[in-house]
């Protein structure tokens, strides 16, 4: 009888796996996946060579895709007429008046032509460099906003070809680059064949300048810099309208793309870029914290008193 009992116990031990082991294995796998995902989502110090390569390749792809979108001239002109009629119905069709008024001041419109052709790139790259050097913990999240904004804009160019006001039939807009022979703009003149002329919606001049302005306003410590940050997208709006390169509704499209970029970055990092830590630990310290099951959100330090430095 005792022997039978021993055999039964031995059989039970051999045939029934430990519930503790069974439960621990899936839990360990889940923790491992969570740790890996946490490592990917954790702010990290950017690497210069990678960022230079990434930005160069991304801009090349952006230009390639944007210019590869078929120039659907008939549809683009029809859409421009519709946009213009909507603005008239709203009583906000002021682009032509601004275009003619500013064009009457030669030095001002020529300055705006150069502004349109250059600052779009110079200021954006400058803000990226500033973030890289002074706010490395916020750089990746802010960069994601910019990249996502640009990516969704490409979809807009494909789905909604739109002629700028200066190319409208019977719109009586002045192509200020052609008239004043401004060098360097790909919007018209000698460089017009290098850029899709019917990709005006959304305006990435507004999308990028607003990204720059909001980033500077949120993170700069000097009051004058924060003011300039807010003025930059406002000045850009005046420029794109005065040079007849965009309707003001194109600017609304650019802001919508930027909102998508911020939403995507927030979903990934769990915070807006300016609320992430300014500095990040070395890669080894970050991975050590993640391996111990510490969430990137839980490790976020208490915000500084100003919230911007």
């Amino acid at each position: 009888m005792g022997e039978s009992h021993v055999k039964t116990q031995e059989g039970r031990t051999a045939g029934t796996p430990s519930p503790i082991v069974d439960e621990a294995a899936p839990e360990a796998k889940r923790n491992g996946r969570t740790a890996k995902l946490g490592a990917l989502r954790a702010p990290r110090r950017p690497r210069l060579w990678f960022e230079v390569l990434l930005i160069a390749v991304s801009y090349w792809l952006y230009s390639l895709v944007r210019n590869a979108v078929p120039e659907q001239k008939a549809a683009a002109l029809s859409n421009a007429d519709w946009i213009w009629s909507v603005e008239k119905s709203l009583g906000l069709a002021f682009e032509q008046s601004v275009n003619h008024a500013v064009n009457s001041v030669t030095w001002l419109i020529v300055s705006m032509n150069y502004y349109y052709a250059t600052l779009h790139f110079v200021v954006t790259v400058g803000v990226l460099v500033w973030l890289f050097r002074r706010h490395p913990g916020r750089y990746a999240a802010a960069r994601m906003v910019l990249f996502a904004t640009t990516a969704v804009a490409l979809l807009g160019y494909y789905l909604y070809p739109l002629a700028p006001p200066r190319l409208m039939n019977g719109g009586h807009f002045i192509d200020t680059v052609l008239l004043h022979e401004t060098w360097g703009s790909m919007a018209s003149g000698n460089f017009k064949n290098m850029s899709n002329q019917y990709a005006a919606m959304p305006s990435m001049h507004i999308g990028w300048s607003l990204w720059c302005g909001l980033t500077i306003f949120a993170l700069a410590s000097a009051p004058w810099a924060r003011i300039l940050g807010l003025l930059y997208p406002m000045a850009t709006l005046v420029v794109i309208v005065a040079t007849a390169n965009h309707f003001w509704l194109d600017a609304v499209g650019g802001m919508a793309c930027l909102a998508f970029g911020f939403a995507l970055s927030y979903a990934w990092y769990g915070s807006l870029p300016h609320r992430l830590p300014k500095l990040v630990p070395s890669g080894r310290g970050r991975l050590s914290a993640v391996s111990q099951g510490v969430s990137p959100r839980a490790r976020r330090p208490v915000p500084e008193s100003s919230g911007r430095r």
Side-chain angles (χ1 to χ4, degrees):
M1 183 173 181
E3 182 179 354
S4 174
H5 176 72
V6 170
K7 288 181 178 180
T8 303
Q9 291 290 76
E10 289 175 353
R12 182 182 303 170
T13 303
T16 306
S18 169
I20 298 177
V21 174
D22 284 350
E23 293 176 2
E27 185 66 23
K29 290 181 180 179
R30 284 195 295 270
N31 288 339
R33 288 193 295 266
T34 302
K36 290 179 181 179
L37 182 60
L40 289 174
R41 299 175 66 181
R44 64 188 64 197
R45 184 174 298 278
R47 293 166 291 180
L48 180 59
W49 67 269
F50 176 79
E51 294 303 326
V52 171
L53 181 63
L54 178 64
I55 292 172
V57 171
S58 297
Y59 183 73
W60 175 75
L61 287 174
Y62 165 75
S63 300
L64 185 67
V65 174
R66 182 180 188 271
N67 297 333
V69 173
E71 292 195 359
Q72 304 174 52
K73 183 176 180 179
L77 291 172
S78 176
N79 289 336
D81 291 336
W82 185 83
I83 290 284
W84 189 231
S85 66
V86 168
E87 292 188 354
K88 283 182 177 179
S89 67
L90 295 174
L92 295 172
F94 51 76
E95 289 92 340
Q96 189 180 99
S97 299
V98 175
N99 175 234
H100 285 258
V102 178
N103 185 69
S104 64
V105 184
T106 303
W107 67 266
L108 180 59
I109 193 61
V110 170
S111 299
M112 287 188 174
N113 286 340
Y114 284 117
Y115 180 115
Y116 185 88
T118 59
L119 290 192
H120 178 52
F121 307 102
V122 173
V123 176
T124 304
V125 172
V127 172
L128 282 170
V129 172
W130 174 62
L131 286 170
F132 181 91
R133 292 177 59 87
R134 301 295 299 274
H135 300 270
R138 297 157 177 160
Y139 175 86
R143 188 237 292 140
M144 177 179 281
V145 174
L146 184 64
F147 278 37
T149 298
T150 306
V152 76
L154 290 174
L155 186 62
Y157 300 147
Y158 183 82
L159 296 177
Y160 195 79
L162 180 68
R166 59 186 173 77
L167 294 182
M168 287 180 64
N169 294 324
H172 305 294
F173 286 92
I174 301 170
D175 190 329
T176 60
V177 171
L178 278 179
L179 180 64
H180 299 282
E181 300 180 347
T182 307
W183 178 87
S185 175
M186 292 185 181
S188 56
N190 295 330
F191 293 91
K192 65 181 180 181
N193 293 327
M194 297 175 61
S195 178
N196 186 350
Q197 298 297 294
Y198 302 107
M201 172 67 84
S203 169
M204 278 299 91
H205 274 75
I206 291 299
W208 288 13
S209 66
L210 189 57
W211 174 83
C212 292
L214 292 176
T215 300
I216 293 171
F217 178 77
L219 298 178
S221 56
W224 62 266
R226 298 178 63 206
I227 293 173
L228 286 178
L230 293 180
L231 290 177
Y232 175 53
M234 296 180 188
T236 301
L237 177 60
V238 175
V239 167
I240 66 173
V241 169
T243 57
N245 280 298
H246 288 283
F247 298 99
W248 65 264
L249 278 176
D250 300 341
V252 175
M255 289 186 282
C257 291
L258 183 64
F260 171 82
F262 272 111
L264 185 64
S265 180
Y266 183 89
W268 181 254
Y269 287 99
S271 177
L272 293 173
H274 70 280
R275 295 188 179 276
L276 292 171
K278 176 180 179 179
L279 303 176
V280 290
S282 63
R284 182 176 299 177
R286 182 180 65 253
L287 293 176
S288 175
V290 171
S291 65
Q292 295 174 17
V294 182
S295 167
R297 302 183 190 186
R299 291 186 289 106
R300 188 174 303 139
V302 178
E304 300 165 10
S305 58
S306 65
R308 297 183 177 89
R309 299 185 179 182

